[in-house]
Amino acid sequence: MTAPDLRSGGIAVLDFGSQYTQLIARRVRELGVYAEVFPFDAPLDTIQRHAPKGYILSGGPNSIYEDGAPQLQAEVLNAGAPILGLCYGMQALTYSLGGKVAGAAHREYGRADLTHHGSSLFEGVPDTSTVWMSHGDRIEQPPAGFTPLAVSTNSPYAAMGDESRGLYGVQFHPEVIHTAHGTQILRNYVLGICGCEPKWNTGAFIDDTIERIRQQVGEDGRVLLALSGGVDSSVAAALIQRAIGERLMSVFVNTGMMRLNEPEQVAGVFGTGEMHFTALNASEEFLSALVGVTDPESKRKIIGKTFIDIFTRFASEQAGAGVRFLGQGTIYPDVIESAHASKSSKVIKSHHNVGGLPADLAEKFALVEPLRDLFKDEVRRVGEALGLPPTLIWRQPFPGPGLGIRCPGEITWERLETLRQADAIFIEELEKAGLMRYDSGQLTAQCFVVLLPVKSVGVMGDNRTYEEVAALRAVATDDFMTADWARLDYALLARVSNRIVNEVKGINRVLYDITSKPPATIEWE
Ligand code: XMP
């Protein structure tokens, strides 16, 4: 029996460049309906690969009359399914149907009061409610057949629709939490107007994915997976293991640049159960490749290359043993970003991801990527449902190059050991204060220590000391693109500082980094 197709009959979100596009898809999924993001100009057969029952057009930074402004494709309009345009999406819909858009005399940014006139889009929404606006242009004349559905102070057509054709536009952003009844409006559209069935949920996803992995890998196929101990590779491993048992072989590469006890923790979770788990201690290989290297980009490149060399060697040996598949913890935002990646953006840092394997290796193996369709919060829910420990699921992000990029200057084993101890103290105190569990919107999204290659004079007992400096870094952020330094409690900072200078040999001074991103980055290298 084939399982019902979880992805069919959902919503296609067309991206016109809004910073909220992924949020729209997540909101739809929270209603239990699969939503997928496509560039606004993706070919129709791509957009329709899962037979969506409706479309949502995102906002965007352009003005619809500008040269090269993204336009709604006629094919989408002609597909006959309902369409909801948000902000710029509404303007694109209006323009493509012959209505008029113009610059508003008063721009609307932030909160606005919306009064609706009663329609299927606003069912269950109070007559007047708060919405979040962010626009310069507005609708001057809706296309033929459309009627106004709501007004705000500055927008006579804050919402409009042609209910007979299932076409709607709203000037505000229902996807952001500041729009008080945004979820209800999206629910009305997705479940009511489009008639989508809410069948996208964690349990169904797990069953479906296990089935797909079994089909892909076959009766006797074996999968090799690089396990970093991060959320994505761990959840991918747990899912593949559920599907094919010991035919999954996971490998953990200890780079020597992990945090205190991290290799033991990973082995504790994955090396004790039924999983076929190999831990490779490659610390020496990494550290000898890094002798004398202080340039941040060189460090990143060397660490990335060494990882790939080690993994390729291991994989080639295993390929001889009949392994034909590589498992990877690629998640949906990675997939979207690589599809939409801007070719002109500058390299600030070369990211090294355990998932980013070289093309020739990827060619030798078929990829098994069970999380390709999931957002991070969905990955965490799957991990919870599979029984992975909360410490692993709610782990803060840890960069691929590890402590190697938190150790400015030359990386030596002694300096790494010093850093590990200081970092462990900071983490321990943050954990006691309940600040290490990763949640978006919280005070600390990421916290760590950086060991500076600077010596300063201190005094201990009656003796002079001359030792290195630890910088504490803690940031609040939702997307890691911008970040603010965390306003940690002074008493907490005092405890951490005191413990580090007393307990860690090699550090006699502690600083707190009070720089936001930009202009700094989160990591120091
Ligand atoms: P920056 O320092 O660029 O970091 O502000 C943003 C986020 O990315 C993480 N980071 C990395 N993650 N491989 C990774 O997997 C890398 O090479 C890498 N460099 C930075 C960083 O920890 C922060 O969460």
Side-chain angles (χ1 to χ4, degrees), residues 300 348-354 397-402 405-406 445-446 448 473 475 477 479-481 483 517 520-525:
R300 283 174 172 275
I348 307 289
K349 297 178 184 185
S350 322
H351 270 221
H352 152 53
N353 285 312
V354 168
F398 185 60
I405 54 168
R406 294 178 178 174
Q446 205 173 3
F448 52 89
R473 181 82 164 134
V475 294
T477 175
D479 57 9
F480 297 86
M481 303 295 287
K517 170 183 179 176
T521 53
I522 295 174
E523 306 285 349
W524 276 48
E525 291 196 325

PDB file of all heavy atoms in Angstrom, residues 300 348-354 397-402 405-406 445-446 448 473 475 477 479-481 483 517 520-525, ligand 1:
ATOM      1  N   ARG A 300      39.897  28.199   7.936  1.00  0.00           N
ATOM      2  CA  ARG A 300      38.623  27.617   7.489  1.00  0.00           C
ATOM      3  C   ARG A 300      38.838  26.662   6.325  1.00  0.00           C
ATOM      4  O   ARG A 300      38.275  25.570   6.279  1.00  0.00           O
ATOM      5  CB  ARG A 300      37.676  28.723   7.037  1.00  0.00           C
ATOM      6  CG  ARG A 300      37.050  29.462   8.164  1.00  0.00           C
ATOM      7  CD  ARG A 300      36.247  30.647   7.645  1.00  0.00           C
ATOM      8  NE  ARG A 300      35.513  31.215   8.747  1.00  0.00           N
ATOM      9  CZ  ARG A 300      34.332  30.776   9.158  1.00  0.00           C
ATOM     10  NH1 ARG A 300      33.713  29.829   8.500  1.00  0.00           N
ATOM     11  NH2 ARG A 300      33.755  31.296  10.210  1.00  0.00           N
ATOM     12  N   ILE A 348      32.037  36.750   2.960  1.00  0.00           N
ATOM     13  CA  ILE A 348      32.534  37.298   4.223  1.00  0.00           C
ATOM     14  C   ILE A 348      33.362  36.209   4.909  1.00  0.00           C
ATOM     15  O   ILE A 348      34.446  36.438   5.400  1.00  0.00           O
ATOM     16  CB  ILE A 348      31.367  37.725   5.148  1.00  0.00           C
ATOM     17  CG1 ILE A 348      30.403  38.670   4.419  1.00  0.00           C
ATOM     18  CG2 ILE A 348      31.900  38.364   6.432  1.00  0.00           C
ATOM     19  CD1 ILE A 348      30.930  40.051   4.134  1.00  0.00           C
ATOM     20  N   LYS A 349      32.803  34.996   4.924  1.00  0.00           N
ATOM     21  CA  LYS A 349      33.511  33.862   5.497  1.00  0.00           C
ATOM     22  C   LYS A 349      33.201  32.636   4.636  1.00  0.00           C
ATOM     23  O   LYS A 349      32.072  32.479   4.198  1.00  0.00           O
ATOM     24  CB  LYS A 349      33.000  33.569   6.911  1.00  0.00           C
ATOM     25  CG  LYS A 349      33.247  34.682   7.885  1.00  0.00           C
ATOM     26  CD  LYS A 349      32.678  34.363   9.247  1.00  0.00           C
ATOM     27  CE  LYS A 349      32.872  35.548  10.160  1.00  0.00           C
ATOM     28  NZ  LYS A 349      32.452  35.298  11.520  1.00  0.00           N
ATOM     29  N   SER A 350      34.198  31.788   4.448  1.00  0.00           N
ATOM     30  CA  SER A 350      33.898  30.549   3.731  1.00  0.00           C
ATOM     31  C   SER A 350      33.323  29.564   4.734  1.00  0.00           C
ATOM     32  O   SER A 350      34.033  29.137   5.630  1.00  0.00           O
ATOM     33  CB  SER A 350      35.163  29.918   3.153  1.00  0.00           C
ATOM     34  OG  SER A 350      36.009  30.910   2.690  1.00  0.00           O
ATOM     35  N   HIS A 351      32.066  29.252   4.583  1.00  0.00           N
ATOM     36  CA  HIS A 351      31.481  28.316   5.537  1.00  0.00           C
ATOM     37  C   HIS A 351      31.896  26.891   5.248  1.00  0.00           C
ATOM     38  O   HIS A 351      31.956  26.468   4.118  1.00  0.00           O
ATOM     39  CB  HIS A 351      29.954  28.431   5.525  1.00  0.00           C
ATOM     40  CG  HIS A 351      29.483  29.435   6.510  1.00  0.00           C
ATOM     41  ND1 HIS A 351      28.389  29.245   7.303  1.00  0.00           N
ATOM     42  CD2 HIS A 351      29.986  30.625   6.845  1.00  0.00           C
ATOM     43  CE1 HIS A 351      28.246  30.290   8.087  1.00  0.00           C
ATOM     44  NE2 HIS A 351      29.187  31.153   7.818  1.00  0.00           N
ATOM     45  N   HIS A 352      32.193  26.216   6.327  1.00  0.00           N
ATOM     46  CA  HIS A 352      32.497  24.802   6.183  1.00  0.00           C
ATOM     47  C   HIS A 352      31.365  24.037   6.825  1.00  0.00           C
ATOM     48  O   HIS A 352      31.104  24.168   8.006  1.00  0.00           O
ATOM     49  CB  HIS A 352      33.826  24.478   6.870  1.00  0.00           C
ATOM     50  CG  HIS A 352      33.922  23.080   7.364  1.00  0.00           C
ATOM     51  ND1 HIS A 352      33.678  22.016   6.545  1.00  0.00           N
ATOM     52  CD2 HIS A 352      34.205  22.576   8.569  1.00  0.00           C
ATOM     53  CE1 HIS A 352      33.821  20.898   7.247  1.00  0.00           C
ATOM     54  NE2 HIS A 352      34.131  21.212   8.483  1.00  0.00           N
ATOM     55  N   ASN A 353      30.646  23.299   6.023  1.00  0.00           N
ATOM     56  CA  ASN A 353      29.578  22.483   6.581  1.00  0.00           C
ATOM     57  C   ASN A 353      29.879  21.033   6.336  1.00  0.00           C
ATOM     58  O   ASN A 353      30.294  20.651   5.248  1.00  0.00           O
ATOM     59  CB  ASN A 353      28.234  22.839   5.946  1.00  0.00           C
ATOM     60  CG  ASN A 353      27.747  24.158   6.499  1.00  0.00           C
ATOM     61  OD1 ASN A 353      27.756  24.368   7.698  1.00  0.00           O
ATOM     62  ND2 ASN A 353      27.361  25.046   5.617  1.00  0.00           N
ATOM     63  N   VAL A 354      29.612  20.249   7.366  1.00  0.00           N
ATOM     64  CA  VAL A 354      29.832  18.822   7.236  1.00  0.00           C
ATOM     65  C   VAL A 354      28.997  18.287   6.078  1.00  0.00           C
ATOM     66  O   VAL A 354      29.382  17.369   5.388  1.00  0.00           O
ATOM     67  CB  VAL A 354      29.472  18.149   8.575  1.00  0.00           C
ATOM     68  CG1 VAL A 354      29.398  16.659   8.423  1.00  0.00           C
ATOM     69  CG2 VAL A 354      30.497  18.544   9.623  1.00  0.00           C
ATOM     70  N   PRO A 397      23.587  26.462  17.783  1.00  0.00           N
ATOM     71  CA  PRO A 397      24.415  26.126  16.625  1.00  0.00           C
ATOM     72  C   PRO A 397      25.906  26.153  16.978  1.00  0.00           C
ATOM     73  O   PRO A 397      26.329  26.956  17.813  1.00  0.00           O
ATOM     74  CB  PRO A 397      24.090  27.229  15.608  1.00  0.00           C
ATOM     75  CG  PRO A 397      23.288  28.239  16.309  1.00  0.00           C
ATOM     76  CD  PRO A 397      22.792  27.674  17.588  1.00  0.00           C
ATOM     77  N   PHE A 398      26.645  25.261  16.364  1.00  0.00           N
ATOM     78  CA  PHE A 398      28.092  25.205  16.572  1.00  0.00           C
ATOM     79  C   PHE A 398      28.718  25.140  15.180  1.00  0.00           C
ATOM     80  O   PHE A 398      28.323  24.308  14.370  1.00  0.00           O
ATOM     81  CB  PHE A 398      28.434  23.960  17.396  1.00  0.00           C
ATOM     82  CG  PHE A 398      29.895  23.853  17.772  1.00  0.00           C
ATOM     83  CD1 PHE A 398      30.498  24.834  18.541  1.00  0.00           C
ATOM     84  CD2 PHE A 398      30.653  22.767  17.361  1.00  0.00           C
ATOM     85  CE1 PHE A 398      31.843  24.741  18.892  1.00  0.00           C
ATOM     86  CE2 PHE A 398      31.994  22.661  17.714  1.00  0.00           C
ATOM     87  CZ  PHE A 398      32.593  23.658  18.480  1.00  0.00           C
ATOM     88  N   PRO A 399      29.655  26.023  14.877  1.00  0.00           N
ATOM     89  CA  PRO A 399      30.154  26.082  13.496  1.00  0.00           C
ATOM     90  C   PRO A 399      30.960  24.840  13.112  1.00  0.00           C
ATOM     91  O   PRO A 399      31.605  24.238  13.973  1.00  0.00           O
ATOM     92  CB  PRO A 399      31.053  27.327  13.506  1.00  0.00           C
ATOM     93  CG  PRO A 399      31.446  27.510  14.931  1.00  0.00           C
ATOM     94  CD  PRO A 399      30.304  27.003  15.757  1.00  0.00           C
ATOM     95  N   GLY A 400      30.916  24.488  11.843  1.00  0.00           N
ATOM     96  CA  GLY A 400      31.674  23.346  11.337  1.00  0.00           C
ATOM     97  C   GLY A 400      33.145  23.370  11.762  1.00  0.00           C
ATOM     98  O   GLY A 400      33.674  22.367  12.240  1.00  0.00           O
ATOM     99  N   PRO A 401      33.851  24.509  11.621  1.00  0.00           N
ATOM    100  CA  PRO A 401      35.281  24.524  11.995  1.00  0.00           C
ATOM    101  C   PRO A 401      35.506  24.534  13.506  1.00  0.00           C
ATOM    102  O   PRO A 401      36.665  24.525  13.954  1.00  0.00           O
ATOM    103  CB  PRO A 401      35.808  25.828  11.374  1.00  0.00           C
ATOM    104  CG  PRO A 401      34.736  26.310  10.454  1.00  0.00           C
ATOM    105  CD  PRO A 401      33.457  25.755  10.949  1.00  0.00           C
ATOM    106  N   GLY A 402      34.438  24.563  14.274  1.00  0.00           N
ATOM    107  CA  GLY A 402      34.533  24.395  15.724  1.00  0.00           C
ATOM    108  C   GLY A 402      35.384  25.449  16.405  1.00  0.00           C
ATOM    109  O   GLY A 402      35.428  26.616  15.998  1.00  0.00           O
ATOM    110  N   ILE A 405      37.910  28.383  14.946  1.00  0.00           N
ATOM    111  CA  ILE A 405      37.676  29.793  14.616  1.00  0.00           C
ATOM    112  C   ILE A 405      37.329  30.607  15.867  1.00  0.00           C
ATOM    113  O   ILE A 405      36.886  31.737  15.780  1.00  0.00           O
ATOM    114  CB  ILE A 405      36.583  29.959  13.531  1.00  0.00           C
ATOM    115  CG1 ILE A 405      35.290  29.251  13.928  1.00  0.00           C
ATOM    116  CG2 ILE A 405      37.092  29.413  12.193  1.00  0.00           C
ATOM    117  CD1 ILE A 405      34.098  29.599  13.053  1.00  0.00           C
ATOM    118  N   ARG A 406      37.540  29.993  17.051  1.00  0.00           N
ATOM    119  CA  ARG A 406      37.345  30.743  18.298  1.00  0.00           C
ATOM    120  C   ARG A 406      38.687  30.880  19.018  1.00  0.00           C
ATOM    121  O   ARG A 406      38.732  31.142  20.211  1.00  0.00           O
ATOM    122  CB  ARG A 406      36.328  30.024  19.184  1.00  0.00           C
ATOM    123  CG  ARG A 406      34.956  30.032  18.544  1.00  0.00           C
ATOM    124  CD  ARG A 406      33.919  29.299  19.328  1.00  0.00           C
ATOM    125  NE  ARG A 406      32.634  29.410  18.631  1.00  0.00           N
ATOM    126  CZ  ARG A 406      31.539  28.785  19.002  1.00  0.00           C
ATOM    127  NH1 ARG A 406      31.553  28.011  20.078  1.00  0.00           N
ATOM    128  NH2 ARG A 406      30.417  28.938  18.324  1.00  0.00           N
ATOM    129  N   ALA A 445      20.929  33.337  21.754  1.00  0.00           N
ATOM    130  CA  ALA A 445      20.774  32.325  20.717  1.00  0.00           C
ATOM    131  C   ALA A 445      22.071  31.544  20.579  1.00  0.00           C
ATOM    132  O   ALA A 445      22.081  30.408  20.115  1.00  0.00           O
ATOM    133  CB  ALA A 445      20.425  32.979  19.390  1.00  0.00           C
ATOM    134  N   GLN A 446      23.168  32.158  20.960  1.00  0.00           N
ATOM    135  CA  GLN A 446      24.463  31.497  20.842  1.00  0.00           C
ATOM    136  C   GLN A 446      25.434  32.134  21.836  1.00  0.00           C
ATOM    137  O   GLN A 446      25.500  33.359  21.944  1.00  0.00           O
ATOM    138  CB  GLN A 446      24.995  31.662  19.418  1.00  0.00           C
ATOM    139  CG  GLN A 446      25.960  30.573  19.024  1.00  0.00           C
ATOM    140  CD  GLN A 446      26.363  30.648  17.560  1.00  0.00           C
ATOM    141  OE1 GLN A 446      25.963  31.553  16.829  1.00  0.00           O
ATOM    142  NE2 GLN A 446      27.168  29.700  17.141  1.00  0.00           N
ATOM    143  N   PHE A 448      29.491  31.620  23.672  1.00  0.00           N
ATOM    144  CA  PHE A 448      30.751  30.876  23.662  1.00  0.00           C
ATOM    145  C   PHE A 448      31.886  31.761  24.127  1.00  0.00           C
ATOM    146  O   PHE A 448      31.709  32.971  24.312  1.00  0.00           O
ATOM    147  CB  PHE A 448      31.040  30.332  22.258  1.00  0.00           C
ATOM    148  CG  PHE A 448      30.967  31.364  21.159  1.00  0.00           C
ATOM    149  CD1 PHE A 448      32.087  32.103  20.795  1.00  0.00           C
ATOM    150  CD2 PHE A 448      29.771  31.595  20.484  1.00  0.00           C
ATOM    151  CE1 PHE A 448      32.022  33.048  19.776  1.00  0.00           C
ATOM    152  CE2 PHE A 448      29.694  32.542  19.465  1.00  0.00           C
ATOM    153  CZ  PHE A 448      30.815  33.274  19.107  1.00  0.00           C
ATOM    154  N   ARG A 473      31.271  35.770  24.505  1.00  0.00           N
ATOM    155  CA  ARG A 473      30.383  36.272  23.451  1.00  0.00           C
ATOM    156  C   ARG A 473      29.012  35.641  23.665  1.00  0.00           C
ATOM    157  O   ARG A 473      28.906  34.401  23.796  1.00  0.00           O
ATOM    158  CB  ARG A 473      30.948  35.862  22.087  1.00  0.00           C
ATOM    159  CG  ARG A 473      30.133  36.331  20.877  1.00  0.00           C
ATOM    160  CD  ARG A 473      30.457  37.742  20.522  1.00  0.00           C
ATOM    161  NE  ARG A 473      30.040  38.171  19.203  1.00  0.00           N
ATOM    162  CZ  ARG A 473      29.417  39.344  18.991  1.00  0.00           C
ATOM    163  NH1 ARG A 473      29.112  40.148  20.000  1.00  0.00           N
ATOM    164  NH2 ARG A 473      29.116  39.709  17.759  1.00  0.00           N
ATOM    165  N   VAL A 475      24.954  36.248  22.069  1.00  0.00           N
ATOM    166  CA  VAL A 475      24.154  37.091  21.188  1.00  0.00           C
ATOM    167  C   VAL A 475      22.695  36.648  21.133  1.00  0.00           C
ATOM    168  O   VAL A 475      22.376  35.474  21.293  1.00  0.00           O
ATOM    169  CB  VAL A 475      24.707  37.105  19.737  1.00  0.00           C
ATOM    170  CG1 VAL A 475      26.074  37.759  19.687  1.00  0.00           C
ATOM    171  CG2 VAL A 475      24.727  35.714  19.139  1.00  0.00           C
ATOM    172  N   THR A 477      19.543  36.616  18.539  1.00  0.00           N
ATOM    173  CA  THR A 477      19.251  36.726  17.103  1.00  0.00           C
ATOM    174  C   THR A 477      18.196  35.696  16.723  1.00  0.00           C
ATOM    175  O   THR A 477      18.065  34.663  17.370  1.00  0.00           O
ATOM    176  CB  THR A 477      20.508  36.484  16.248  1.00  0.00           C
ATOM    177  OG1 THR A 477      20.125  36.500  14.868  1.00  0.00           O
ATOM    178  CG2 THR A 477      21.184  35.160  16.544  1.00  0.00           C
ATOM    179  N   ASP A 479      17.855  35.019  13.155  1.00  0.00           N
ATOM    180  CA  ASP A 479      18.257  34.443  11.873  1.00  0.00           C
ATOM    181  C   ASP A 479      19.779  34.376  11.687  1.00  0.00           C
ATOM    182  O   ASP A 479      20.247  33.921  10.654  1.00  0.00           O
ATOM    183  CB  ASP A 479      17.639  35.254  10.722  1.00  0.00           C
ATOM    184  CG  ASP A 479      18.039  36.733  10.792  1.00  0.00           C
ATOM    185  OD1 ASP A 479      18.921  37.086  11.618  1.00  0.00           O
ATOM    186  OD2 ASP A 479      17.475  37.526  10.029  1.00  0.00           O
ATOM    187  N   PHE A 480      20.556  34.838  12.645  1.00  0.00           N
ATOM    188  CA  PHE A 480      22.018  34.807  12.594  1.00  0.00           C
ATOM    189  C   PHE A 480      22.601  35.709  11.503  1.00  0.00           C
ATOM    190  O   PHE A 480      23.802  35.740  11.300  1.00  0.00           O
ATOM    191  CB  PHE A 480      22.544  33.355  12.476  1.00  0.00           C
ATOM    192  CG  PHE A 480      22.175  32.531  13.688  1.00  0.00           C
ATOM    193  CD1 PHE A 480      20.959  31.882  13.754  1.00  0.00           C
ATOM    194  CD2 PHE A 480      23.012  32.474  14.783  1.00  0.00           C
ATOM    195  CE1 PHE A 480      20.591  31.166  14.886  1.00  0.00           C
ATOM    196  CE2 PHE A 480      22.650  31.775  15.920  1.00  0.00           C
ATOM    197  CZ  PHE A 480      21.444  31.112  15.969  1.00  0.00           C
ATOM    198  N   MET A 481      21.728  36.431  10.804  1.00  0.00           N
ATOM    199  CA  MET A 481      22.208  37.372   9.788  1.00  0.00           C
ATOM    200  C   MET A 481      22.549  38.698  10.466  1.00  0.00           C
ATOM    201  O   MET A 481      23.494  39.378  10.090  1.00  0.00           O
ATOM    202  CB  MET A 481      21.127  37.634   8.730  1.00  0.00           C
ATOM    203  CG  MET A 481      20.634  36.390   8.028  1.00  0.00           C
ATOM    204  SD  MET A 481      21.938  35.642   7.075  1.00  0.00           S
ATOM    205  CE  MET A 481      22.028  36.810   5.729  1.00  0.00           C
ATOM    206  N   ALA A 483      22.570  40.366  14.623  1.00  0.00           N
ATOM    207  CA  ALA A 483      22.518  39.896  16.012  1.00  0.00           C
ATOM    208  C   ALA A 483      22.832  41.056  16.942  1.00  0.00           C
ATOM    209  O   ALA A 483      23.538  42.003  16.553  1.00  0.00           O
ATOM    210  CB  ALA A 483      23.524  38.766  16.223  1.00  0.00           C
ATOM    211  N   LYS A 517      26.093  42.560  15.397  1.00  0.00           N
ATOM    212  CA  LYS A 517      26.381  42.180  14.007  1.00  0.00           C
ATOM    213  C   LYS A 517      25.329  42.828  13.128  1.00  0.00           C
ATOM    214  O   LYS A 517      24.152  42.530  13.359  1.00  0.00           O
ATOM    215  CB  LYS A 517      26.325  40.662  13.844  1.00  0.00           C
ATOM    216  CG  LYS A 517      26.385  40.218  12.371  1.00  0.00           C
ATOM    217  CD  LYS A 517      26.247  38.729  12.209  1.00  0.00           C
ATOM    218  CE  LYS A 517      26.292  38.348  10.736  1.00  0.00           C
ATOM    219  NZ  LYS A 517      26.248  36.921  10.503  1.00  0.00           N
ATOM    220  N   ALA A 520      30.244  43.802  13.604  1.00  0.00           N
ATOM    221  CA  ALA A 520      31.033  42.586  13.854  1.00  0.00           C
ATOM    222  C   ALA A 520      30.286  41.396  13.255  1.00  0.00           C
ATOM    223  O   ALA A 520      29.157  41.544  12.786  1.00  0.00           O
ATOM    224  CB  ALA A 520      31.226  42.389  15.352  1.00  0.00           C
ATOM    225  N   THR A 521      30.900  40.223  13.267  1.00  0.00           N
ATOM    226  CA  THR A 521      30.158  38.997  12.989  1.00  0.00           C
ATOM    227  C   THR A 521      29.995  38.290  14.330  1.00  0.00           C
ATOM    228  O   THR A 521      30.528  38.755  15.345  1.00  0.00           O
ATOM    229  CB  THR A 521      30.907  38.105  11.985  1.00  0.00           C
ATOM    230  OG1 THR A 521      32.237  37.895  12.471  1.00  0.00           O
ATOM    231  CG2 THR A 521      30.961  38.743  10.619  1.00  0.00           C
ATOM    232  N   ILE A 522      29.267  37.188  14.340  1.00  0.00           N
ATOM    233  CA  ILE A 522      29.044  36.501  15.617  1.00  0.00           C
ATOM    234  C   ILE A 522      30.348  35.848  16.076  1.00  0.00           C
ATOM    235  O   ILE A 522      30.823  36.081  17.176  1.00  0.00           O
ATOM    236  CB  ILE A 522      27.892  35.483  15.495  1.00  0.00           C
ATOM    237  CG1 ILE A 522      26.585  36.236  15.215  1.00  0.00           C
ATOM    238  CG2 ILE A 522      27.784  34.650  16.771  1.00  0.00           C
ATOM    239  CD1 ILE A 522      25.392  35.367  14.922  1.00  0.00           C
ATOM    240  N   GLU A 523      30.926  35.045  15.194  1.00  0.00           N
ATOM    241  CA  GLU A 523      32.231  34.456  15.501  1.00  0.00           C
ATOM    242  C   GLU A 523      33.300  35.532  15.296  1.00  0.00           C
ATOM    243  O   GLU A 523      33.068  36.529  14.613  1.00  0.00           O
ATOM    244  CB  GLU A 523      32.520  33.272  14.567  1.00  0.00           C
ATOM    245  CG  GLU A 523      31.444  32.194  14.552  1.00  0.00           C
ATOM    246  CD  GLU A 523      31.442  31.323  15.782  1.00  0.00           C
ATOM    247  OE1 GLU A 523      32.401  31.398  16.586  1.00  0.00           O
ATOM    248  OE2 GLU A 523      30.471  30.558  15.962  1.00  0.00           O
ATOM    249  N   TRP A 524      34.481  35.272  15.845  1.00  0.00           N
ATOM    250  CA  TRP A 524      35.549  36.265  15.706  1.00  0.00           C
ATOM    251  C   TRP A 524      36.376  36.069  14.447  1.00  0.00           C
ATOM    252  O   TRP A 524      37.171  36.916  14.086  1.00  0.00           O
ATOM    253  CB  TRP A 524      36.466  36.221  16.942  1.00  0.00           C
ATOM    254  CG  TRP A 524      35.938  37.047  18.076  1.00  0.00           C
ATOM    255  CD1 TRP A 524      34.667  37.051  18.568  1.00  0.00           C
ATOM    256  CD2 TRP A 524      36.668  38.009  18.855  1.00  0.00           C
ATOM    257  NE1 TRP A 524      34.546  37.940  19.602  1.00  0.00           N
ATOM    258  CE2 TRP A 524      35.772  38.535  19.805  1.00  0.00           C
ATOM    259  CE3 TRP A 524      37.988  38.458  18.852  1.00  0.00           C
ATOM    260  CZ2 TRP A 524      36.141  39.496  20.740  1.00  0.00           C
ATOM    261  CZ3 TRP A 524      38.359  39.413  19.790  1.00  0.00           C
ATOM    262  CH2 TRP A 524      37.444  39.929  20.713  1.00  0.00           C
ATOM    263  N   GLU A 525      36.253  34.899  13.817  1.00  0.00           N
ATOM    264  CA  GLU A 525      37.052  34.676  12.602  1.00  0.00           C
ATOM    265  C   GLU A 525      36.165  34.144  11.495  1.00  0.00           C
ATOM    266  O   GLU A 525      35.151  33.526  11.758  1.00  0.00           O
ATOM    267  CB  GLU A 525      38.169  33.654  12.886  1.00  0.00           C
ATOM    268  CG  GLU A 525      39.235  34.201  13.809  1.00  0.00           C
ATOM    269  CD  GLU A 525      40.501  33.361  13.761  1.00  0.00           C
ATOM    270  OE1 GLU A 525      40.381  32.140  13.606  1.00  0.00           O
ATOM    271  OE2 GLU A 525      41.591  33.932  13.882  1.00  0.00           O
TER     272      GLU A 525
HETATM  273  P1  XMP B   1      28.978  34.771  11.677  1.00  0.00           P
HETATM  274  O1  XMP B   1      30.251  34.628  12.436  1.00  0.00           O
HETATM  275  O2  XMP B   1      29.184  34.759  10.184  1.00  0.00           O
HETATM  276  O3  XMP B   1      28.140  33.468  12.024  1.00  0.00           O
HETATM  277  O4  XMP B   1      28.166  35.944  12.125  1.00  0.00           O
HETATM  278  C1  XMP B   1      26.775  33.277  11.749  1.00  0.00           C
HETATM  279  C2  XMP B   1      26.391  31.894  12.228  1.00  0.00           C
HETATM  280  O5  XMP B   1      27.028  30.896  11.438  1.00  0.00           O
HETATM  281  C3  XMP B   1      27.838  30.059  12.238  1.00  0.00           C
HETATM  282  N1  XMP B   1      29.045  29.765  11.466  1.00  0.00           N
HETATM  283  C4  XMP B   1      29.252  28.606  10.822  1.00  0.00           C
HETATM  284  N2  XMP B   1      28.514  27.477  10.761  1.00  0.00           N
HETATM  285  N3  XMP B   1      30.139  26.483   9.381  1.00  0.00           N
HETATM  286  C5  XMP B   1      28.973  26.416  10.049  1.00  0.00           C
HETATM  287  O6  XMP B   1      28.328  25.369  10.010  1.00  0.00           O
HETATM  288  C6  XMP B   1      30.932  27.576   9.401  1.00  0.00           C
HETATM  289  O7  XMP B   1      31.984  27.614   8.779  1.00  0.00           O
HETATM  290  C7  XMP B   1      30.474  28.691  10.162  1.00  0.00           C
HETATM  291  N4  XMP B   1      30.968  29.937  10.409  1.00  0.00           N
HETATM  292  C8  XMP B   1      30.078  30.571  11.218  1.00  0.00           C
HETATM  293  C9  XMP B   1      28.117  30.853  13.492  1.00  0.00           C
HETATM  294  O8  XMP B   1      28.425  30.001  14.585  1.00  0.00           O
HETATM  295  C10 XMP B   1      26.814  31.596  13.663  1.00  0.00           C
HETATM  296  O9  XMP B   1      25.831  30.746  14.221  1.00  0.00           O
END
